[in-house]
PDB file of all heavy atoms in Angstrom:
ATOM      1  N   LEU A 272     -14.090  47.789 -11.486  1.00  0.00           N
ATOM      2  CA  LEU A 272     -14.015  49.207 -11.060  1.00  0.00           C
ATOM      3  C   LEU A 272     -13.060  49.346  -9.802  1.00  0.00           C
ATOM      4  O   LEU A 272     -12.178  50.180  -9.745  1.00  0.00           O
ATOM      5  CB  LEU A 272     -15.401  49.676 -10.522  1.00  0.00           C
ATOM      6  CG  LEU A 272     -15.524  51.073  -9.948  1.00  0.00           C
ATOM      7  CD1 LEU A 272     -15.259  52.160 -10.985  1.00  0.00           C
ATOM      8  CD2 LEU A 272     -16.841  51.287  -9.192  1.00  0.00           C
ATOM      9  N   PHE A 273     -13.158  48.370  -8.766  1.00  0.00           N
ATOM     10  CA  PHE A 273     -12.326  48.484  -7.694  1.00  0.00           C
ATOM     11  C   PHE A 273     -10.828  48.079  -7.971  1.00  0.00           C
ATOM     12  O   PHE A 273      -9.973  48.511  -7.244  1.00  0.00           O
ATOM     13  CB  PHE A 273     -12.875  47.550  -6.557  1.00  0.00           C
ATOM     14  CG  PHE A 273     -13.950  48.154  -5.787  1.00  0.00           C
ATOM     15  CD1 PHE A 273     -15.221  47.699  -6.049  1.00  0.00           C
ATOM     16  CD2 PHE A 273     -13.764  49.204  -4.853  1.00  0.00           C
ATOM     17  CE1 PHE A 273     -16.329  48.346  -5.316  1.00  0.00           C
ATOM     18  CE2 PHE A 273     -14.818  49.733  -4.145  1.00  0.00           C
ATOM     19  CZ  PHE A 273     -16.024  49.369  -4.363  1.00  0.00           C
ATOM     20  N   TYR A 276      -9.793  51.244 -10.915  1.00  0.00           N
ATOM     21  CA  TYR A 276     -10.058  52.602 -10.488  1.00  0.00           C
ATOM     22  C   TYR A 276     -10.195  52.719  -9.036  1.00  0.00           C
ATOM     23  O   TYR A 276     -11.085  53.367  -8.529  1.00  0.00           O
ATOM     24  CB  TYR A 276     -11.243  53.118 -11.250  1.00  0.00           C
ATOM     25  CG  TYR A 276     -11.185  53.123 -12.709  1.00  0.00           C
ATOM     26  CD1 TYR A 276     -11.649  52.152 -13.510  1.00  0.00           C
ATOM     27  CD2 TYR A 276     -10.496  54.151 -13.508  1.00  0.00           C
ATOM     28  CE1 TYR A 276     -11.564  52.108 -14.788  1.00  0.00           C
ATOM     29  CE2 TYR A 276     -10.423  54.252 -14.822  1.00  0.00           C
ATOM     30  CZ  TYR A 276     -10.942  53.156 -15.491  1.00  0.00           C
ATOM     31  OH  TYR A 276     -10.933  53.166 -16.931  1.00  0.00           O
ATOM     32  N   ARG A 277      -9.341  52.028  -8.302  1.00  0.00           N
ATOM     33  CA  ARG A 277      -9.510  51.988  -6.815  1.00  0.00           C
ATOM     34  C   ARG A 277      -9.477  53.332  -6.150  1.00  0.00           C
ATOM     35  O   ARG A 277     -10.140  53.540  -5.160  1.00  0.00           O
ATOM     36  CB  ARG A 277      -8.365  51.056  -6.291  1.00  0.00           C
ATOM     37  CG  ARG A 277      -7.092  51.699  -6.250  1.00  0.00           C
ATOM     38  CD  ARG A 277      -5.974  50.801  -5.509  1.00  0.00           C
ATOM     39  NE  ARG A 277      -4.676  51.452  -5.328  1.00  0.00           N
ATOM     40  CZ  ARG A 277      -3.689  51.463  -6.266  1.00  0.00           C
ATOM     41  NH1 ARG A 277      -3.991  50.861  -7.480  1.00  0.00           N
ATOM     42  NH2 ARG A 277      -2.676  51.992  -6.069  1.00  0.00           N
ATOM     43  N   THR A 278      -8.790  54.315  -6.685  1.00  0.00           N
ATOM     44  CA  THR A 278      -8.717  55.682  -5.996  1.00  0.00           C
ATOM     45  C   THR A 278     -10.080  56.394  -6.106  1.00  0.00           C
ATOM     46  O   THR A 278     -10.284  57.267  -5.221  1.00  0.00           O
ATOM     47  CB  THR A 278      -7.592  56.537  -6.604  1.00  0.00           C
ATOM     48  OG1 THR A 278      -7.890  56.642  -8.071  1.00  0.00           O
ATOM     49  CG2 THR A 278      -6.211  55.899  -6.403  1.00  0.00           C
ATOM     50  N   ILE A 279     -10.828  56.147  -7.057  1.00  0.00           N
ATOM     51  CA  ILE A 279     -12.148  56.809  -7.197  1.00  0.00           C
ATOM     52  C   ILE A 279     -13.297  55.907  -7.248  1.00  0.00           C
ATOM     53  O   ILE A 279     -14.422  56.334  -7.561  1.00  0.00           O
ATOM     54  CB  ILE A 279     -12.135  57.663  -8.448  1.00  0.00           C
ATOM     55  CG1 ILE A 279     -11.931  56.802  -9.710  1.00  0.00           C
ATOM     56  CG2 ILE A 279     -11.090  58.859  -8.456  1.00  0.00           C
ATOM     57  CD1 ILE A 279     -12.077  57.590 -11.033  1.00  0.00           C
ATOM     58  N   SER A 280     -13.091  54.609  -6.817  1.00  0.00           N
ATOM     59  CA  SER A 280     -14.142  53.650  -7.016  1.00  0.00           C
ATOM     60  C   SER A 280     -15.411  53.939  -6.231  1.00  0.00           C
ATOM     61  O   SER A 280     -16.495  53.875  -6.702  1.00  0.00           O
ATOM     62  CB  SER A 280     -13.610  52.221  -6.659  1.00  0.00           C
ATOM     63  OG  SER A 280     -13.025  52.235  -5.340  1.00  0.00           O
ATOM     64  N   TRP A 281     -15.239  54.238  -4.968  1.00  0.00           N
ATOM     65  CA  TRP A 281     -16.312  54.525  -4.116  1.00  0.00           C
ATOM     66  C   TRP A 281     -17.082  55.879  -4.463  1.00  0.00           C
ATOM     67  O   TRP A 281     -18.295  55.956  -4.419  1.00  0.00           O
ATOM     68  CB  TRP A 281     -15.926  54.709  -2.628  1.00  0.00           C
ATOM     69  CG  TRP A 281     -15.702  53.354  -1.957  1.00  0.00           C
ATOM     70  CD1 TRP A 281     -14.518  52.781  -1.672  1.00  0.00           C
ATOM     71  CD2 TRP A 281     -16.629  52.323  -1.617  1.00  0.00           C
ATOM     72  NE1 TRP A 281     -14.637  51.557  -1.099  1.00  0.00           N
ATOM     73  CE2 TRP A 281     -16.038  51.232  -1.075  1.00  0.00           C
ATOM     74  CE3 TRP A 281     -18.105  52.335  -1.752  1.00  0.00           C
ATOM     75  CZ2 TRP A 281     -16.707  50.103  -0.695  1.00  0.00           C
ATOM     76  CZ3 TRP A 281     -18.779  51.174  -1.350  1.00  0.00           C
ATOM     77  CH2 TRP A 281     -18.086  50.138  -0.741  1.00  0.00           C
ATOM     78  N   LYS A 282     -16.333  56.828  -5.054  1.00  0.00           N
ATOM     79  CA  LYS A 282     -17.026  58.041  -5.386  1.00  0.00           C
ATOM     80  C   LYS A 282     -17.820  57.736  -6.651  1.00  0.00           C
ATOM     81  O   LYS A 282     -19.050  58.076  -6.800  1.00  0.00           O
ATOM     82  CB  LYS A 282     -15.907  59.105  -5.835  1.00  0.00           C
ATOM     83  CG  LYS A 282     -15.184  59.648  -4.674  1.00  0.00           C
ATOM     84  CD  LYS A 282     -14.136  60.631  -5.106  1.00  0.00           C
ATOM     85  CE  LYS A 282     -13.299  61.158  -3.963  1.00  0.00           C
ATOM     86  NZ  LYS A 282     -12.214  62.090  -4.404  1.00  0.00           N
ATOM     87  N   VAL A 283     -17.308  56.923  -7.532  1.00  0.00           N
ATOM     88  CA  VAL A 283     -18.114  56.628  -8.753  1.00  0.00           C
ATOM     89  C   VAL A 283     -19.322  55.818  -8.410  1.00  0.00           C
ATOM     90  O   VAL A 283     -20.399  56.014  -8.907  1.00  0.00           O
ATOM     91  CB  VAL A 283     -17.194  55.871  -9.769  1.00  0.00           C
ATOM     92  CG1 VAL A 283     -18.015  55.219 -10.894  1.00  0.00           C
ATOM     93  CG2 VAL A 283     -16.100  56.633 -10.319  1.00  0.00           C
ATOM     94  N   LEU A 284     -19.190  54.782  -7.503  1.00  0.00           N
ATOM     95  CA  LEU A 284     -20.238  53.948  -7.150  1.00  0.00           C
ATOM     96  C   LEU A 284     -21.374  54.691  -6.444  1.00  0.00           C
ATOM     97  O   LEU A 284     -22.568  54.607  -6.763  1.00  0.00           O
ATOM     98  CB  LEU A 284     -19.716  52.894  -6.230  1.00  0.00           C
ATOM     99  CG  LEU A 284     -20.772  51.669  -6.081  1.00  0.00           C
ATOM    100  CD1 LEU A 284     -21.192  51.086  -7.359  1.00  0.00           C
ATOM    101  CD2 LEU A 284     -20.077  50.583  -5.171  1.00  0.00           C
ATOM    102  N   VAL A 285     -20.998  55.485  -5.382  1.00  0.00           N
ATOM    103  CA  VAL A 285     -22.000  56.134  -4.622  1.00  0.00           C
ATOM    104  C   VAL A 285     -22.624  57.247  -5.314  1.00  0.00           C
ATOM    105  O   VAL A 285     -23.835  57.428  -5.382  1.00  0.00           O
ATOM    106  CB  VAL A 285     -21.367  56.644  -3.217  1.00  0.00           C
ATOM    107  CG1 VAL A 285     -22.342  57.469  -2.400  1.00  0.00           C
ATOM    108  CG2 VAL A 285     -20.857  55.457  -2.497  1.00  0.00           C
ATOM    109  N   VAL A 286     -21.797  58.149  -5.847  1.00  0.00           N
ATOM    110  CA  VAL A 286     -22.418  59.336  -6.669  1.00  0.00           C
ATOM    111  C   VAL A 286     -23.057  58.899  -7.833  1.00  0.00           C
ATOM    112  O   VAL A 286     -24.200  59.389  -8.138  1.00  0.00           O
ATOM    113  CB  VAL A 286     -21.148  60.344  -7.062  1.00  0.00           C
ATOM    114  CG1 VAL A 286     -21.730  61.414  -7.883  1.00  0.00           C
ATOM    115  CG2 VAL A 286     -20.433  60.885  -5.865  1.00  0.00           C
ATOM    116  N   GLY A 287     -22.579  57.889  -8.535  1.00  0.00           N
ATOM    117  CA  GLY A 287     -23.305  57.280  -9.711  1.00  0.00           C
ATOM    118  C   GLY A 287     -24.621  56.741  -9.337  1.00  0.00           C
ATOM    119  O   GLY A 287     -25.582  56.974 -10.064  1.00  0.00           O
ATOM    120  N   LEU A 288     -24.669  56.020  -8.281  1.00  0.00           N
ATOM    121  CA  LEU A 288     -25.918  55.444  -7.863  1.00  0.00           C
ATOM    122  C   LEU A 288     -26.957  56.404  -7.492  1.00  0.00           C
ATOM    123  O   LEU A 288     -28.202  56.199  -7.894  1.00  0.00           O
ATOM    124  CB  LEU A 288     -25.732  54.498  -6.650  1.00  0.00           C
ATOM    125  CG  LEU A 288     -26.890  53.601  -6.038  1.00  0.00           C
ATOM    126  CD1 LEU A 288     -26.314  52.406  -5.392  1.00  0.00           C
ATOM    127  CD2 LEU A 288     -27.661  54.515  -4.969  1.00  0.00           C
ATOM    128  N   LEU A 289     -26.648  57.476  -6.820  1.00  0.00           N
ATOM    129  CA  LEU A 289     -27.564  58.556  -6.457  1.00  0.00           C
ATOM    130  C   LEU A 289     -28.016  59.327  -7.690  1.00  0.00           C
ATOM    131  O   LEU A 289     -29.170  59.574  -7.805  1.00  0.00           O
ATOM    132  CB  LEU A 289     -26.975  59.473  -5.439  1.00  0.00           C
ATOM    133  CG  LEU A 289     -26.622  58.820  -4.051  1.00  0.00           C
ATOM    134  CD1 LEU A 289     -25.895  59.877  -3.199  1.00  0.00           C
ATOM    135  CD2 LEU A 289     -27.842  58.366  -3.350  1.00  0.00           C
ATOM    136  N   LEU A 290     -27.095  59.627  -8.612  1.00  0.00           N
ATOM    137  CA  LEU A 290     -27.504  60.373  -9.833  1.00  0.00           C
ATOM    138  C   LEU A 290     -28.314  59.597 -10.687  1.00  0.00           C
ATOM    139  O   LEU A 290     -29.291  60.098 -11.389  1.00  0.00           O
ATOM    140  CB  LEU A 290     -26.210  60.879 -10.470  1.00  0.00           C
ATOM    141  CG  LEU A 290     -25.367  62.050  -9.822  1.00  0.00           C
ATOM    142  CD1 LEU A 290     -24.200  62.391 -10.654  1.00  0.00           C
ATOM    143  CD2 LEU A 290     -26.318  63.227  -9.695  1.00  0.00           C
ATOM    144  N   THR A 291     -28.008  58.260 -10.842  1.00  0.00           N
ATOM    145  CA  THR A 291     -28.827  57.457 -11.668  1.00  0.00           C
ATOM    146  C   THR A 291     -30.276  57.386 -11.192  1.00  0.00           C
ATOM    147  O   THR A 291     -31.180  57.427 -11.904  1.00  0.00           O
ATOM    148  CB  THR A 291     -28.208  56.060 -11.697  1.00  0.00           C
ATOM    149  OG1 THR A 291     -26.870  56.118 -12.331  1.00  0.00           O
ATOM    150  CG2 THR A 291     -29.033  55.084 -12.572  1.00  0.00           C
ATOM    151  N   VAL A 310     -27.470  50.601 -12.084  1.00  0.00           N
ATOM    152  CA  VAL A 310     -26.117  50.675 -11.517  1.00  0.00           C
ATOM    153  C   VAL A 310     -25.235  49.868 -12.503  1.00  0.00           C
ATOM    154  O   VAL A 310     -24.081  50.392 -12.805  1.00  0.00           O
ATOM    155  CB  VAL A 310     -26.001  50.110 -10.159  1.00  0.00           C
ATOM    156  CG1 VAL A 310     -24.617  50.121  -9.698  1.00  0.00           C
ATOM    157  CG2 VAL A 310     -26.866  50.882  -9.195  1.00  0.00           C
ATOM    158  N   LEU A 313     -24.534  52.130 -15.352  1.00  0.00           N
ATOM    159  CA  LEU A 313     -23.698  53.146 -14.893  1.00  0.00           C
ATOM    160  C   LEU A 313     -22.220  52.637 -15.007  1.00  0.00           C
ATOM    161  O   LEU A 313     -21.299  53.276 -15.488  1.00  0.00           O
ATOM    162  CB  LEU A 313     -23.997  53.539 -13.488  1.00  0.00           C
ATOM    163  CG  LEU A 313     -22.974  54.106 -12.660  1.00  0.00           C
ATOM    164  CD1 LEU A 313     -22.587  55.492 -13.054  1.00  0.00           C
ATOM    165  CD2 LEU A 313     -23.250  54.018 -11.059  1.00  0.00           C
ATOM    166  N   LEU A 314     -21.960  51.478 -14.353  1.00  0.00           N
ATOM    167  CA  LEU A 314     -20.664  50.940 -14.387  1.00  0.00           C
ATOM    168  C   LEU A 314     -20.024  50.568 -15.748  1.00  0.00           C
ATOM    169  O   LEU A 314     -18.915  50.903 -16.037  1.00  0.00           O
ATOM    170  CB  LEU A 314     -20.530  49.703 -13.423  1.00  0.00           C
ATOM    171  CG  LEU A 314     -20.886  49.852 -12.005  1.00  0.00           C
ATOM    172  CD1 LEU A 314     -21.037  48.480 -11.230  1.00  0.00           C
ATOM    173  CD2 LEU A 314     -19.853  50.708 -11.311  1.00  0.00           C
ATOM    174  N   ALA A 315     -20.902  49.942 -16.598  1.00  0.00           N
ATOM    175  CA  ALA A 315     -20.444  49.616 -17.976  1.00  0.00           C
ATOM    176  C   ALA A 315     -20.184  50.891 -18.696  1.00  0.00           C
ATOM    177  O   ALA A 315     -19.152  50.928 -19.415  1.00  0.00           O
ATOM    178  CB  ALA A 315     -21.547  48.832 -18.695  1.00  0.00           C
ATOM    179  N   SER A 316     -20.939  51.913 -18.543  1.00  0.00           N
ATOM    180  CA  SER A 316     -20.763  53.171 -19.294  1.00  0.00           C
ATOM    181  C   SER A 316     -19.433  53.919 -18.740  1.00  0.00           C
ATOM    182  O   SER A 316     -18.600  54.345 -19.643  1.00  0.00           O
ATOM    183  CB  SER A 316     -21.880  54.068 -19.157  1.00  0.00           C
ATOM    184  OG  SER A 316     -21.715  55.385 -19.664  1.00  0.00           O
ATOM    185  N   PHE A 317     -19.278  53.914 -17.530  1.00  0.00           N
ATOM    186  CA  PHE A 317     -17.987  54.578 -16.950  1.00  0.00           C
ATOM    187  C   PHE A 317     -16.776  53.845 -17.318  1.00  0.00           C
ATOM    188  O   PHE A 317     -15.809  54.503 -17.795  1.00  0.00           O
ATOM    189  CB  PHE A 317     -18.148  54.623 -15.425  1.00  0.00           C
ATOM    190  CG  PHE A 317     -16.927  55.198 -14.702  1.00  0.00           C
ATOM    191  CD1 PHE A 317     -16.687  56.515 -14.787  1.00  0.00           C
ATOM    192  CD2 PHE A 317     -15.931  54.318 -14.267  1.00  0.00           C
ATOM    193  CE1 PHE A 317     -15.586  57.061 -14.160  1.00  0.00           C
ATOM    194  CE2 PHE A 317     -14.766  54.862 -13.656  1.00  0.00           C
ATOM    195  CZ  PHE A 317     -14.568  56.163 -13.621  1.00  0.00           C
ATOM    196  N   LEU A 318     -16.872  52.607 -17.223  1.00  0.00           N
ATOM    197  CA  LEU A 318     -15.597  51.725 -17.600  1.00  0.00           C
ATOM    198  C   LEU A 318     -15.246  51.825 -19.061  1.00  0.00           C
ATOM    199  O   LEU A 318     -14.036  51.965 -19.433  1.00  0.00           O
ATOM    200  CB  LEU A 318     -15.785  50.249 -17.184  1.00  0.00           C
ATOM    201  CG  LEU A 318     -15.911  49.880 -15.704  1.00  0.00           C
ATOM    202  CD1 LEU A 318     -16.355  48.523 -15.595  1.00  0.00           C
ATOM    203  CD2 LEU A 318     -14.536  50.229 -14.970  1.00  0.00           C
ATOM    204  N   LYS A 321     -14.346  55.916 -19.724  1.00  0.00           N
ATOM    205  CA  LYS A 321     -13.050  56.357 -19.052  1.00  0.00           C
ATOM    206  C   LYS A 321     -11.859  55.733 -19.578  1.00  0.00           C
ATOM    207  O   LYS A 321     -10.806  56.245 -19.710  1.00  0.00           O
ATOM    208  CB  LYS A 321     -13.286  56.032 -17.462  1.00  0.00           C
ATOM    209  CG  LYS A 321     -12.125  56.606 -16.691  1.00  0.00           C
ATOM    210  CD  LYS A 321     -12.135  58.138 -16.794  1.00  0.00           C
ATOM    211  CE  LYS A 321     -10.985  58.720 -15.970  1.00  0.00           C
ATOM    212  NZ  LYS A 321     -10.823  60.203 -16.216  1.00  0.00           N
ATOM    213  N   VAL A 366     -25.118  58.948 -16.905  1.00  0.00           N
ATOM    214  CA  VAL A 366     -24.334  59.226 -15.579  1.00  0.00           C
ATOM    215  C   VAL A 366     -22.932  58.673 -15.719  1.00  0.00           C
ATOM    216  O   VAL A 366     -21.913  59.368 -15.332  1.00  0.00           O
ATOM    217  CB  VAL A 366     -25.048  58.692 -14.361  1.00  0.00           C
ATOM    218  CG1 VAL A 366     -24.159  58.900 -13.034  1.00  0.00           C
ATOM    219  CG2 VAL A 366     -26.360  59.436 -14.090  1.00  0.00           C
ATOM    220  N   GLY A 367     -22.774  57.478 -16.198  1.00  0.00           N
ATOM    221  CA  GLY A 367     -21.419  56.933 -16.375  1.00  0.00           C
ATOM    222  C   GLY A 367     -20.625  57.741 -17.238  1.00  0.00           C
ATOM    223  O   GLY A 367     -19.426  57.887 -17.062  1.00  0.00           O
ATOM    224  N   LEU A 370     -19.604  60.939 -15.440  1.00  0.00           N
ATOM    225  CA  LEU A 370     -18.497  60.752 -14.451  1.00  0.00           C
ATOM    226  C   LEU A 370     -17.190  60.458 -15.071  1.00  0.00           C
ATOM    227  O   LEU A 370     -16.174  60.750 -14.523  1.00  0.00           O
ATOM    228  CB  LEU A 370     -18.910  59.523 -13.629  1.00  0.00           C
ATOM    229  CG  LEU A 370     -20.095  59.850 -12.622  1.00  0.00           C
ATOM    230  CD1 LEU A 370     -20.315  58.554 -11.753  1.00  0.00           C
ATOM    231  CD2 LEU A 370     -19.926  61.083 -11.763  1.00  0.00           C
ATOM    232  N   ALA A 371     -17.191  59.894 -16.284  1.00  0.00           N
ATOM    233  CA  ALA A 371     -15.886  59.627 -17.061  1.00  0.00           C
ATOM    234  C   ALA A 371     -15.242  60.944 -17.323  1.00  0.00           C
ATOM    235  O   ALA A 371     -14.012  61.132 -17.333  1.00  0.00           O
ATOM    236  CB  ALA A 371     -16.176  58.853 -18.274  1.00  0.00           C
ATOM    237  N   VAL A 373     -16.113  63.831 -15.529  1.00  0.00           N
ATOM    238  CA  VAL A 373     -15.884  64.647 -14.234  1.00  0.00           C
ATOM    239  C   VAL A 373     -14.601  64.212 -13.569  1.00  0.00           C
ATOM    240  O   VAL A 373     -13.852  65.200 -13.082  1.00  0.00           O
ATOM    241  CB  VAL A 373     -17.064  64.346 -13.389  1.00  0.00           C
ATOM    242  CG1 VAL A 373     -16.822  64.921 -11.927  1.00  0.00           C
ATOM    243  CG2 VAL A 373     -18.326  65.022 -13.842  1.00  0.00           C
ATOM    244  N   PHE A 374     -14.273  62.979 -13.342  1.00  0.00           N
ATOM    245  CA  PHE A 374     -12.986  62.470 -12.783  1.00  0.00           C
ATOM    246  C   PHE A 374     -11.932  62.592 -13.826  1.00  0.00           C
ATOM    247  O   PHE A 374     -11.576  61.603 -14.423  1.00  0.00           O
ATOM    248  CB  PHE A 374     -13.237  61.129 -12.266  1.00  0.00           C
ATOM    249  CG  PHE A 374     -14.261  61.032 -11.139  1.00  0.00           C
ATOM    250  CD1 PHE A 374     -15.457  60.550 -11.325  1.00  0.00           C
ATOM    251  CD2 PHE A 374     -13.946  61.563  -9.877  1.00  0.00           C
ATOM    252  CE1 PHE A 374     -16.398  60.342 -10.352  1.00  0.00           C
ATOM    253  CE2 PHE A 374     -14.872  61.440  -8.819  1.00  0.00           C
ATOM    254  CZ  PHE A 374     -16.135  60.944  -9.059  1.00  0.00           C
ATOM    255  N   GLN A 376      -8.693  63.401 -13.167  1.00  0.00           N
ATOM    256  CA  GLN A 376      -7.387  63.127 -12.671  1.00  0.00           C
ATOM    257  C   GLN A 376      -6.829  61.891 -13.329  1.00  0.00           C
ATOM    258  O   GLN A 376      -7.602  61.063 -13.726  1.00  0.00           O
ATOM    259  CB  GLN A 376      -7.329  63.032 -11.172  1.00  0.00           C
ATOM    260  CG  GLN A 376      -8.026  61.768 -10.666  1.00  0.00           C
ATOM    261  CD  GLN A 376      -9.469  62.116 -10.194  1.00  0.00           C
ATOM    262  OE1 GLN A 376     -10.158  62.876 -10.861  1.00  0.00           O
ATOM    263  NE2 GLN A 376      -9.825  61.542  -9.071  1.00  0.00           N
ATOM    264  N   ILE A 378      -5.544  58.451 -13.783  1.00  0.00           N
ATOM    265  CA  ILE A 378      -5.599  57.195 -13.023  1.00  0.00           C
ATOM    266  C   ILE A 378      -4.250  56.510 -12.998  1.00  0.00           C
ATOM    267  O   ILE A 378      -3.908  55.907 -12.022  1.00  0.00           O
ATOM    268  CB  ILE A 378      -6.721  56.263 -13.749  1.00  0.00           C
ATOM    269  CG1 ILE A 378      -8.009  57.000 -13.911  1.00  0.00           C
ATOM    270  CG2 ILE A 378      -6.938  54.967 -12.919  1.00  0.00           C
ATOM    271  CD1 ILE A 378      -8.605  57.486 -12.577  1.00  0.00           C
TER     272      ILE A 378
END
Side-chain angles (χ1 to χ4, degrees):
L272 177 69
F273 280 103
Y276 298 96
R277 70 177 188 275
T278 57
I279 59 173
S280 56
W281 281 109
K282 293 179 182 178
V283 171
L284 191 58
V285 174
V286 175
L288 184 149
L289 296 176
L290 286 178
T291 298
V310 179
L313 154 74
L314 295 173
S316 175
F317 175 81
L318 292 174
K321 188 61 182 175
V366 171
L370 292 182
V373 168
F374 293 107
Q376 67 265 39
I378 305 303

